[in-house]
Amino acid sequence: MTPPSGSTNPLRDPQDRRLPRIAGPSGLVLFGVTGDLSRKKVMPAIYDLANRGLLPPGFSLVGFARRDWADQDFAQIVHDAVKEHARTPFREEVWKQLSEGFRFVPGNFDDDVAFDNLRRTVEELDQLRGTGGNMAFYLAIPPAFFGTVVGQLEEHGLADGTADHWRRVVVEKPFGHDLASARELNDVLAGVFEPDEIFRIDHYLGKETVQNILAMRFANNMFEPIWNSNYVDHVQITMAEDIGIGGRAGYYDGIGAARDVIQNHLLQLMALVAMEEPIAFDAESLRLEKQKVLASAVLPRRLDTTTARGQYAAGWQGGEKVIGFLDEEGIATTSATETFAAITVEVETRRWAGVPFYLRTGKRLGRRVTEVAVVFKRAPHLPFTSTATEELTQNALVIRVQPDEGLTMRFGSKVPGTAMEIRDVNMDFAYGGSFTEASAEAYERLILDVLLGDPPLFPQHEEVELSWKLLDPVIEHWAKKGKPDTYDAGTWGPPSADAMLARSGRTWRRP
Ligand code: BG6
């Protein structure tokens, strides 16, 4: 009998990840409780985790903000957020147990008394709820305040992880606005916390479909042999949104689409698509392979023709008239911030030499969709008449990250009939059709991983640096050129984006 090939090696994955992963005694201190991120993502995710039985019974949540609130006021805020945004049904008994562990500490970030109170609260929770002193500090606040807050945590004895209890800090992007500021930010964090105590959230890595890129590539034998420049023509990574900037002018203006999305989500997606097989599925091995991709990624020489950027003008979206970016509340009429960005990246490795990676993102585009399309070269020879293959385009494998999660394979097939006519068809895998359980929200997975101290899904500082290193020249180039092009809301970006691909005879997919 042939021995089974491709067997798994238990030594390579010391934690059996099929077992339910349940957090041990712990709590979380949330800074920035009034922000969108806390209300829409963090609070609902904590409830959903509790509802799924993945939090310890004594789990505690402490809110810290400049508000004159009592514990009940904070509980009401969390309650409203959960009711509006949680993924799983509201269950009174789950809520009751969870909310008994809610505390609120009022104060400014530079207020010593408030941080003394915070320390006392953390100690009390340890006594009352058995958190074991294990606390994660979640900074859902603008990066400008990171320094003050982590400084206070250190000064007030809150950042002192020991062999008996852990302390972790969770930070959200933007990790700086360029390479230099990212380094400064890292110095601030690294001055107080050890590298393995710092959890940087890139919520795309918490998405099931994004994790599935690695399963698809490395658990199967049919994709990897063609996953290289011999077969792949180019790769398109699209993250399109139909929404505008909403109430986020303060954050978005001056940041723009490239810093907001390409620097983190899209370059991480690219790294997962392009990386070599890791020797194990642990954080160190994964990061190492992603880092190699980012370190070998370069921009083409001519940035004016290989990048594109735009700003949405008024237009129609979903049958509704919407305003342009410059008319949004809080945006200066002279703003040069881009709401659409596209770049070309070349990965200089044997596997990818000559295969462009096109990355694009934008607000107010045709529809909300994130996908990775691996587009293959044409067959070297077509033994048909040219009319038979007129409607045949290139084979493609499309990883549908969201919505409508799944995978599409596009290839040519004979149209039934007496003549030989070949046309593109799609073969489809949809999560909904294969799995009964709905995917968890990215934040559920990531918060659980923080509480478990499980780091594979969190980018390390080196990856952040390499991503800025790649992107900085593009942003500098655009800054020199002044205002971006415009595109009508509801379309797929400015004409310059189409021109960027048309130069090499390629076109963007219309997802
Ligand atoms: C965030 C960006 O990281 O991702 C937002 O800052 C964007 O601008 C959001 O809207 C999109 O996330 P998702 O999960 O809805 O694709």
Side-chain angles (χ1 to χ4, degrees), residues 203-212 368 401-402 440-442:
H203 79 281
Y204 263 64
L205 297 181
K207 292 183 190 274
E208 276 293 341
T209 41
V210 172
Q211 292 161 45
N212 193 37
R368 173 175 181 255
V401 174
Q402 67 183 30
E441 261 281 322

Side-chain angles (χ1 to χ4, degrees), residues 210-232:
V210 172
Q211 292 161 45
N212 193 37
I213 295 175
L214 298 184
M216 189 205 87
R217 288 192 55 200
F218 301 125
N220 299 301
N221 206 18
M222 58 193 275
F223 303 116
E224 214 45 31
I226 53 171
W227 212 254
N228 56 56
S229 62
N230 294 331
Y231 297 96
V232 177

Side-chain angles (χ1 to χ4, degrees), residues 8-156:
T8 52
N9 176 355
L11 292 177
R12 290 191 162 182
D13 188 5
Q15 284 187 31
D16 187 341
R17 288 170 198 275
R18 288 166 310 175
L19 296 174
R21 299 160 70 245
I22 299 174
S26 54
L28 188 142
V29 177
L30 184 57
F31 292 93
V33 290
T34 50
D36 256 21
L37 176 69
S38 293
R39 279 190 316 105
K40 291 188 179 157
K41 300 290 180 189
V42 182
M43 293 169 181
I46 288 173
Y47 170 79
D48 287 324
L49 285 172
N51 204 6
R52 293 165 63 205
L54 302 178
L55 294 185
F59 181 81
S60 304
L61 175 68
V62 184
F64 184 106
R66 199 179 46 191
R67 288 285 194 289
D68 195 12
W69 286 345
D71 293 344
Q72 304 89 283
D73 302 314
F74 173 56
Q76 187 60 46
I77 297 288
V78 184
H79 181 268
D80 295 348
V82 167
K83 277 274 170 117
E84 198 176 344
H85 300 289
R87 181 178 67 84
T88 60
F90 191 82
R91 289 199 289 149
E92 206 52 64
E93 65 277 19
V94 173
W95 172 255
K96 190 163 174 301
Q97 175 161 19
L98 183 67
S99 58
E100 276 166 11
F102 289 177
R103 299 289 184 279
F104 185 73
V105 177
N108 285 330
F109 297 148
D110 57 2
D111 180 350
D112 286 323
V113 176
F115 276 83
D116 274 338
N117 287 339
L118 180 60
R119 194 196 51 239
R120 258 196 305 280
T121 306
V122 166
E123 286 164 2
E124 274 164 26
L125 286 169
D126 184 11
Q127 297 302 315
L128 279 173
R129 312 254 315 157
T131 54
N134 300 317
M135 277 287 154
F137 298 97
Y138 199 124
L139 309 190
I141 53 175
F145 297 110
F146 284 4
T148 313
V149 172
V150 298
Q152 291 280 40
L153 293 176
E154 184 182 34
E155 238 169 76
H156 295 269

